Amino acid sequence: MERGYRLNDAVSGQQGVRELMAILMASKHEEKTITGLDIGTSKVMAVVGNIDSEGELEIIGIGQHVSRGLRKGVVADIESTVHSIQRAVEEAELTADCQINSVYAGIAGSHIRSMNSHGVVAIRDKEVGQDDVERVIETARAQLTTDDQRVLHILPQGFIIDGQEGVREPIAMSGERLEARVHVVTAALSAAQNIDKCVRRCGLAVDDLILEQLASSYAVLDDDEKELGVCLVDIGGGTTDIAIFIEGAIRHTAVLPVAGDQVTNDIAVALRTPTQAAEELKKKFGYALVGMAPEGESIDAPSVGDRAPRKLALSSLVDVVEPRIEELFMLVQAELTRSGYAELLGAGIVLTGGSSKMEGMEELGEEVFQLPVRLGVPKYAGPLSEVVRNPICSTGMGLLLFAQQHQTATASRKIRPAWPKNRLTQLKSWFRHHFTEE
């Protein structure tokens, strides 16, 4: 005899219906909290955001602490790095009023390698499916895999179907042969493992490791710029990270081991002042162009040891800063020339990162590159925008945007989204309460 269920009297009224609707609506409006962790040479920043049911991102907390354990983007002291991460995460948890369990972490350093690759496969059912795309990308990746490198990203640049080039979205197109051009980014296995270790020792899981300039590009670049051709120059404390986009796709990435810390060190030596004081003088009075500095002004430069502070002409500071920034831009120009894309940057150069905020950076950049140069800040207009819209937040904000897009793309490939376990439990309990087995 077949078993059935009958409706209890308790559900015949409106109360049971309201309970069921509450469970269903709670599932609909459930938010997901994500955290981006920018582990830089000069600072560690944690940015916390919520992704709502519509896929929109809202920033709910930020934490920052001085970084003591990295050298030129690479972990050099585990304990100091762990301490910096813990302090930044604790501050972010306090401002966001939530507990952080996992992070999307940034990675940089001169150990980063990038290259363009090419893969070819036969289309199985004469119509391109998701499995065909995954196979051709894996084929391109397999050519470059080495034991001492960890693959961070495989970024499609374009597809070719039966010789037809310029295909950006091949799914559902007919053909027999599928080719893919991809940009592969790898990191030294040991460097990636050290970041993983530092994050885990803070009691956190690593959702993903993301190239920092790629993350920053999500926060500060427009689609039109990527289409026309643009070079992102993310100037941090220990490294300057470069990413070139042409026709909407990333074409070249590089990391230069020269950045804001070198300017600070030059100031400390030239003005005979402590490094921390040199950093403060750079931030407060630094100009990338001598001609932009007010004439006749002076600054108070702290001395080393117990000596009294000295009053120096502002020009003595700017005379140190301009040559070093110009040298940095010349190194970027050399990298552009080496990449082969220097003549294709229709949208010019976008500067971002904490060391890009100095007065005169855009003007000096235009003199060196002979291209339009602008300062890139995160394009965000929600809560905490007054804090986030700062070049120093570009990587942290970009990590969240990368995570948001990745999760949205993953969810769109699922036929049926998985229900949260707590929602299933509530539904089962509701049916047991309101239905009686016959």
Side-chain angles (χ1 to χ4, degrees):
M1 180 178 178
E2 292 185 358
R3 291 190 298 178
Y5 294 85
R6 67 179 177 83
L7 194 63
N8 284 341
D9 293 339
V11 79
S12 60
Q14 295 298 315
Q15 180 63 31
V17 176
R18 283 197 295 267
E19 291 175 4
L20 177 59
M21 291 302 295
I23 294 171
L24 294 173
M25 292 303 292
S27 174
K28 179 180 178 181
H29 294 293
E30 190 155 302
E31 294 182 334
K32 180 172 180 59
T33 301
I34 55 175
T35 302
L37 185 65
D38 175 12
I39 309 173
T41 303
S42 58
K43 58 107 177 52
V44 175
M45 176 177 287
V47 185
V48 187
N50 277 339
I51 300 178
D52 63 22
S53 58
E54 303 299 323
E56 296 298 321
L57 177 67
E58 178 182 297
I59 305 303
I60 61 172
I62 298 175
Q64 182 175 328
H65 193 264
V66 175
S67 179
R68 301 291 189 192
L70 276 79
R71 297 290 180 272
K72 298 189 182 299
V74 178
V75 175
D77 185 327
I78 293 285
E79 294 300 328
S80 295
T81 303
V82 169
H83 175 72
S84 297
I85 293 173
Q86 284 177 328
R87 294 295 297 274
V89 169
E90 287 169 1
E91 184 179 331
E93 287 179 329
L94 186 63
T95 58
D97 191 23
C98 72
Q99 181 176 348
I100 297 173
N101 298 311
S102 63
V103 298
Y104 287 82
I107 186 170
S110 56
H111 61 91
I112 298 292
R113 297 287 182 270
S114 68
M115 59 232 66
N116 295 321
S117 185
H118 181 259
V120 183
V121 297
I123 301 171
R124 283 177 174 165
D125 298 321
K126 310 303 181 185
E127 182 177 294
V128 181
Q130 184 63 39
D131 61 325
D132 296 308
V133 174
E134 292 173 356
R135 282 191 302 116
V136 74
I137 290 176
E138 185 59 34
T139 301
R141 166 185 175 165
Q143 302 175 26
L144 302 170
T145 303
T146 59
D147 293 336
D148 62 343
Q149 292 283 308
R150 170 171 166 176
V151 175
L152 297 176
H153 305 288
I154 306 173
L155 306 167
Q157 298 173 328
F159 297 89
I160 304 171
I161 298 177
D162 293 346
Q164 177 188 341
E165 299 194 16
V167 178
R168 296 192 180 183
E169 180 48 70
I171 300 293
M173 294 187 68
S174 299
E176 297 185 357
R177 174 187 171 96
L178 176 65
E179 302 174 58
R181 293 194 176 104
V182 300
H183 186 72
V184 181
V185 181
T186 67
L189 185 60
S190 58
Q193 288 174 337
N194 283 333
I195 290 181
D196 282 336
K197 183 183 296 184
C198 291
V199 174
R200 287 198 308 271
R201 287 184 58 174
C202 295
L204 304 169
V206 178
D207 291 319
D208 202 356
L209 274 182
I210 300 156
L211 183 66
E212 293 200 343
Q213 61 262 47
L214 176 63
S216 297
S217 73
Y218 279 75
V220 304
L221 295 184
D222 294 328
D223 289 340
D224 287 343
E225 289 177 320
K226 294 179 182 179
E227 195 68 35
L228 284 171
V230 67
C231 175
L232 175 69
V233 181
D234 189 342
I235 310 172
T239 62
T240 296
D241 307 324
I242 299 169
I244 298 174
F245 293 82
I246 306 289
E247 295 181 351
I250 192 165
R251 305 291 174 173
H252 182 79
T253 53
V255 178
L256 304 178
V258 180
D261 285 352
Q262 279 64 43
V263 181
T264 300
N265 292 337
D266 276 11
I267 294 171
V269 172
L271 304 187
R272 300 190 300 280
T273 190
T275 302
Q276 185 57 43
E279 178 70 15
E280 293 301 320
L281 289 172
K282 181 184 74 174
K283 290 179 179 178
K284 192 173 182 179
F285 301 108
Y287 289 86
L289 272 176
V290 172
M292 296 185 67
E295 294 184 6
E297 288 198 9
S298 60
I299 57 174
D300 292 322
S303 298
V304 179
D306 297 329
R307 299 180 182 87
R310 291 158 296 127
K311 191 172 288 291
L312 301 173
L314 175 59
S315 59
S316 62
L317 171 66
V318 182
D319 286 342
V320 176
V321 173
E322 181 179 338
R324 182 44 67 97
I325 297 297
E326 186 175 6
E327 178 187 359
L328 171 59
F329 284 164
M330 292 300 293
L331 291 173
V332 173
Q333 180 64 50
E335 184 63 33
L336 292 178
T337 302
R338 191 180 71 82
S339 73
Y341 296 109
E343 304 300 322
L344 302 177
L345 303 179
I349 310 288
V350 176
L351 305 177
T352 194
S355 296
S356 68
K357 296 168 60 177
M358 189 183 304
E359 292 287 339
M361 292 287 282
E362 296 164 80
E363 290 80 1
L364 179 58
E366 291 185 347
E367 286 186 12
V368 173
F369 299 119
Q370 294 296 299
L371 288 169
V373 177
R374 74 170 179 89
L375 182 65
V377 299
K379 301 178 183 301
Y380 173 72
L384 296 177
S385 61
E386 69 281 359
V387 178
V388 171
R389 289 183 62 82
N390 186 322
I392 201 171
C393 297
S394 294
T395 299
M397 186 66 191
L399 290 168
L400 290 190
L401 293 169
F402 179 96
Q404 176 195 24
Q405 187 174 103
H406 173 75
Q407 293 187 4
T408 301
T410 301
S412 68
R413 288 198 295 265
K414 294 180 180 178
I415 298 175
R416 290 168 51 187
W419 278 63
K421 290 183 179 180
N422 63 324
R423 294 285 173 262
L424 288 174
T425 301
Q426 290 177 21
L427 279 173
K428 290 177 182 177
S429 175
W430 188 90
F431 277 104
R432 280 197 302 267
H433 177 70
H434 291 295
F435 286 81
T436 303
E437 185 177 348
E438 292 182 333

